[in-house]
Amino acid sequence: MEFCDVCRGCCHQPREQDHSSPTQVVLPRRGERLHHLHLYWKLTRGLCGPTAVGLVQNKTSDFGRVRRRVPMSVTINDVAKQAGMSVSTVSQALNDKGRISPPTKDRVRRAAMELGYIPDSRARSMRSSRSHAVGLLVPDIRNPYFSELVYAVQDQLYSAGYAPLIGVSSCQASREEDYYRILLSRHMDGVLVVPDGPTSPMLRTMLAREFPVVFVDRPDRALPGVPLVDSDPVPGLDAALDALATRGCRRVAFVPGPESRSYTFREREQAFLDGVDARQGLTGLVVRQGFEDRHRAAATMRRLLGQGVDAVIFGYSADAIKALAMEWDGDQRSRVPLVSFDDLEVFQLISPQVSVISQQVDRMGRQGVDMLLSMIEPGRQAPEGMSVDRRLRTQTLFVPRGLLA
């Protein structure tokens, strides 16, 4: 059967079909399906033309495959007709704008639900100059710390009516560049970034265009002045050192982590050294190497214990996990207190449990979203506690467990 050129196959009539008479009733033939029953009712009573029906014919080719015609999507005009209201009233009711009574809103939403209407976000973004979508870039989502950060950010964005576009750089500059290009091409309203590695040229371009950017967890020292939400390591480290001193520990080792990758690790090391200097009877030892893998971590831990170290603080949770995977000599695990940054679940599953310095990542993520939305939405207040240089710091908390509980 040949499809009609005028109605594009809606009426499924041969080419000699006469379209001069719009009131001519064209009933579906065998093998045709009707998606909109209310339009079929109008068609059979001459209330609309055949092109408005939305018939779909199943046509089987020689290979036995079925090709179906996809019906057109429902528009806001259809919702207005269904509800018996103007398009402007329907638009205000669906977007919670204007002085629309609750019964009218319910009527409009009921009509939209019956028709399966889904608002076009692209049209809304053209009208409001905002897409209500925000980017989030993290180095590695497999890291439980960043997974918790992603969850907190998306939850706060959802509460504010925004959708996240999550990207993972995998510590690769090329991926980071591509992600920023995607953000600009899709007209995102802003982006939350966990900086990692060298500064991206595309990020500099975005900042030059005054694109809303907020750093989370750590700063980029090459880009001063960019709004930042991170944690202050001093309160948590001071509390941990006090607990170790109370237990009788005298020689404490600190493993800062990969300092070359992040300013945060260097800041934690300095906070540790300052805390040790401020406490009589404590001596500190900084261990910058020896935790590249589990075997080296095991050898390094045995060496530290042989040097009289009676407690270890890890500035990087991944190093702590490597140390926990080693085979301890005798009952040393039950005698040596371990403390690590980041409150990961694995630290509660071993015996004795590992004490942690929590960065309150959930709070950090939510405050980062609030700071970004204050840059996007005029009149929205920034979170309380932000400094003059647009930096907001959450206080780290020491959570004693195991030997320090």
Side-chain angles (χ1 to χ4, degrees):
M1 176 186 296
E2 293 183 345
F3 288 146
C4 174
D5 288 335
V6 178
C7 64
R8 298 181 181 178
C10 288
C11 64
H12 304 294
Q13 296 300 307
R15 293 184 182 274
E16 57 269 15
Q17 170 70 34
D18 182 16
H19 289 276
S20 61
S21 177
T23 60
Q24 180 182 3
V25 178
V26 181
L27 297 179
R29 297 183 177 184
R30 174 178 293 183
E32 297 174 352
R33 295 189 294 112
L34 199 61
H35 282 269
H36 302 289
L37 294 180
H38 64 286
L39 289 176
Y40 176 72
W41 183 87
K42 292 180 180 181
L43 172 65
T44 56
R45 286 156 181 77
L47 300 180
C48 71
T51 58
V53 177
L55 289 172
V56 179
Q57 182 187 37
N58 295 342
K59 184 176 180 181
T60 305
S61 66
D62 295 337
F63 298 98
R65 292 183 295 180
V66 177
R67 298 195 301 269
R68 293 184 175 89
R69 178 177 176 81
V70 180
M72 296 181 61
S73 59
V74 180
T75 66
I76 194 172
N77 294 319
D78 300 325
V79 178
K81 292 178 182 179
Q82 180 81 352
M85 301 177 185
S86 65
V87 174
S88 60
T89 301
V90 170
S91 177
Q92 293 180 27
L94 293 176
N95 294 283
D96 289 325
K97 296 181 179 179
R99 297 181 178 179
I100 307 298
S101 64
T104 301
K105 290 183 180 180
D106 293 340
R107 183 177 173 184
V108 171
R109 289 169 181 169
R110 188 165 51 251
M113 184 178 299
E114 291 174 354
L115 295 177
Y117 172 70
I118 299 177
D120 190 343
S121 59
R122 295 171 300 179
R124 184 176 65 172
S125 64
M126 287 189 295
R127 291 192 300 268
S128 64
S129 73
R130 292 208 303 265
S131 62
H132 286 83
V134 168
L136 171 62
L137 181 64
V138 296
D140 188 355
I141 201 171
R142 298 171 300 178
N143 187 321
Y145 172 80
F146 291 125
S147 299
E148 189 175 351
L149 176 65
V150 169
Y151 184 85
V153 168
Q154 67 86 24
D155 192 57
Q156 188 74 353
L157 287 173
Y158 176 81
S159 301
Y162 285 76
L165 177 62
I166 301 171
V168 180
S169 65
S170 299
C171 303
Q172 298 181 20
S174 59
R175 285 195 176 188
E176 187 174 348
E177 288 287 290
D178 292 340
Y179 180 74
Y180 290 139
R181 290 191 180 91
I182 293 173
L183 288 181
L184 292 177
S185 66
R186 297 191 179 184
H187 304 285
M188 294 284 147
D189 294 334
V191 61
L192 295 159
V193 179
V194 179
D196 186 80
T199 302
S200 164
M202 182 58 66
L203 181 58
R204 293 182 182 273
T205 301
M206 295 167 63
L207 292 172
R209 296 181 182 181
E210 298 184 351
F211 187 84
V213 177
V214 171
F215 290 152
V216 182
D217 180 67
R218 65 191 69 161
D220 186 334
R221 307 302 290 179
L223 296 174
V226 176
L228 168 67
V229 178
D230 65 349
S231 62
D232 184 359
V234 174
L237 271 171
D238 283 347
L241 291 174
D242 288 339
L244 293 173
T246 301
R247 177 178 169 79
C249 298
R250 293 295 177 260
R251 185 170 175 80
V252 182
F254 183 76
V255 184
E259 294 177 288
S260 60
R261 285 177 47 188
S262 175
Y263 160 83
T264 302
F265 298 130
R266 295 191 293 273
E267 184 184 31
R268 293 174 183 174
E269 177 184 335
Q270 188 59 50
F272 167 77
L273 294 175
D274 294 341
V276 169
D277 292 340
R279 290 165 176 80
Q280 293 183 355
L282 277 184
T283 57
L285 173 66
V286 177
V287 183
R288 296 188 176 89
Q289 296 179 346
F291 288 86
E292 292 79 11
D293 53 52
R294 289 194 302 173
H295 298 292
R296 294 183 182 180
T300 302
M301 289 295 295
R302 293 189 182 96
R303 177 172 56 83
L304 292 176
L305 298 179
Q307 295 175 356
V309 170
D310 47 15
V312 182
I313 300 178
F314 294 90
Y316 185 40
S317 57
D319 291 341
I321 294 175
K322 295 173 186 175
L324 293 173
M326 66 169 281
E327 292 293 334
W328 288 69
D329 296 330
D331 61 345
Q332 287 181 331
R333 175 178 291 180
S334 62
R335 294 188 291 106
V336 179
L338 300 181
V339 181
S340 176
F341 271 81
D342 303 334
D343 191 2
L344 305 185
E345 185 178 5
V346 65
F347 295 147
Q348 302 182 50
L349 300 178
I350 65 172
S351 179
Q353 295 181 345
V354 178
S355 301
V356 297
I357 299 174
S358 172
Q359 299 186 73
Q360 302 192 77
V361 62
D362 182 82
R363 182 179 180 183
M364 189 192 308
R366 296 180 185 278
Q367 288 181 334
V369 171
D370 292 340
M371 183 179 291
L372 182 63
L373 295 185
S374 68
M375 301 169 61
I376 296 173
E377 301 178 358
R380 188 180 181 113
Q381 295 293 328
E384 296 182 0
M386 187 166 60
S387 62
V388 178
D389 58 352
R390 299 199 294 177
R391 185 176 191 177
L392 181 61
R393 310 209 78 179
T394 61
Q395 301 297 306
T396 52
L397 298 176
F398 175 62
V399 183
R401 297 192 185 115
L403 301 179
L404 300 179

